[in-house]
Amino acid sequence: MIDLLGTHYNYLVFVALVGIGLYGVTASSNLVKKIIGLNIFQVGIFLFFVTSGYVDGAAPPVVGHGSGPYASPLPHVLILTAIVVGVSLTAVALALIVRIYDAYGTLDEEAIREVQLND
Amino acid sequence: MTAVSTTLAIVLTFSVLAALAAILLRDVLNAIIAFAAFSFGIAVAWVLLAAPDVALTEAAVGAGITTVLFLVTIAKTVRPSGERLLESVEWRSVAVVVLLVGSLLATVRSLPAVGAADSPVATSRVTEYYLQNAYPETGVENVVTAVLAAYRGFDTLGEATVVIAAGVAVLLVLRQEAYV
């Protein structure tokens, strides 16, 4: 396990971020913090992708000036798209949270459940 | 034998600590500030991983727009008063997380080392095709831009559709005079 720290550190960080994100989504009772957890989970997966395209000593994939090696451009393209889609989803989720606060007067999961039971 | 550079390791460790703080801090404003620090650290990590396009997007969108959205949300809602600094630990969630992390850790050993020149992605035919032909075929020096705007242009159109749909959804959800 220790030897992996040197060679696979990025992947270990990916696992850590996914774990932290999942903990945030499931354990926080505050809805805003659930969304923060979702974002951390997402960035963990981005790290996995971008790391997979990296080559030691590689230049960014801007060709025409020097010579390689270049990092693989494919993961970068996928992750660029994923970041934009991710922020769109965050915006919709936060808009829903603002409406939930309007309707229930709280952002606490347990309190919302109690209000629903009382109705 | 390749090894992760010390700078990258420090930046990634900082990011993990910031993420941990974002989840564990009880006050939502503190959590958002920790999340912004996390996004910043990750943006620096993208630069070190030779992905400047992703770094720019992360800094503008992740650390910028997302943080502003979170701040607007807590300005429009309530910020729970934090009598304690940290959240209490939720053991059922810890059990689920340990399960996921354990199964993921079992796979890490099978992955190629970080930065290995013979990794499947780096030697993929598609990667080589784009790196060799993107400039002659499209005249764009940045291969990421060439793929995004030329080769996979229709996918980018789909991405734009998602952004439009999200914008419409936000307007619909908040269609009260107080918000629009």
Side-chain angles (χ1 to χ4, degrees):
Chain A
M1 207 61 217
I2 299 297
D3 56 316
L4 287 184
L5 273 177
T7 54
H8 290 66
Y9 192 70
N10 293 25
Y11 294 115
L12 296 177
V13 170
F14 145 70
V15 173
L17 288 181
V18 166
I20 293 170
L22 184 69
Y23 180 81
V25 173
T26 52
S28 309
S29 64
N30 185 297
L31 295 178
V32 176
K33 292 194 65 182
K34 276 182 194 293
I35 306 297
I36 292 180
L38 208 61
N39 272 287
I40 293 173
F41 190 101
Q42 177 179 262
V43 170
I45 292 172
F46 295 169
L47 181 66
F48 178 84
F49 269 73
V50 173
T51 300
S52 74
Y54 179 67
V55 176
D56 262 341
V62 179
V63 295
H65 296 296
S67 59
Y70 297 109
S72 174
L74 279 179
H76 301 180
V77 176
L78 288 173
I79 296 314
L80 273 184
T81 307
I83 289 177
V84 174
V85 171
V87 79
S88 308
L89 285 176
T90 305
V92 175
L94 290 175
L96 286 171
I97 285 176
V98 170
R99 276 308 284 270
I100 288 171
Y101 181 73
D102 263 14
Y104 294 99
T106 177
L107 286 182
D108 187 81
E109 200 183 21
E110 301 298 325
I112 291 172
R113 198 167 290 150
E114 272 173 33
V115 175
Q116 280 177 330
L117 285 177
N118 291 340
D119 282 347
Chain B
M1 184 74 180
T2 58
V4 177
S5 79
T6 320
T7 324
L8 183 61
I10 291 171
V11 168
L12 286 176
T13 309
F14 166 78
S15 303
V16 170
L17 293 178
L20 212 54
I23 294 301
L24 291 180
L25 284 171
R26 187 164 171 73
D27 187 79
V28 181
L29 183 60
N30 292 353
I32 292 170
I33 293 169
F35 177 75
F38 163 73
S39 293
F40 169 73
I42 285 291
V44 176
W46 295 156
V47 175
L48 297 173
L49 286 169
D53 307 81
V54 184
L56 280 176
T57 315
E58 179 76 38
V61 169
I65 297 177
T66 308
T67 308
V68 170
L69 286 175
F70 278 124
L71 289 176
V72 169
T73 307
I74 62 161
K76 286 205 183 297
T77 61
V78 70
R79 177 178 154 202
S81 58
E83 63 278 6
R84 298 193 310 274
L85 181 65
L86 299 177
E87 300 268 9
S88 51
V89 179
E90 193 80 43
W91 290 108
R92 280 181 303 171
S93 300
V94 171
V96 177
V97 168
V98 166
L99 216 63
L100 177 80
V101 167
S103 44
L104 283 176
L105 277 182
T107 67
V108 165
R109 192 174 287 277
S110 327
L111 293 165
V114 173
D118 56 351
S119 73
V121 176
T123 55
S124 147
R125 275 199 5 246
V126 188
T127 297
E128 281 166 11
Y129 179 88
Y130 281 145
L131 284 177
Q132 279 163 15
N133 299 319
Y135 184 58
E137 285 183 356
T138 64
V140 182
E141 286 182 354
N142 188 335
V143 182
V144 174
T145 312
V147 176
L148 205 64
Y151 291 106
R152 309 301 315 168
F154 274 114
D155 292 354
T156 307
L157 182 66
E159 175 192 341
T161 315
V162 171
V163 175
I164 292 275
V168 171
V170 169
L171 287 180
L172 278 177
V173 168
L174 299 180
R175 200 178 49 184
Q176 288 177 327
E177 281 163 15
Y179 297 124
V180 178

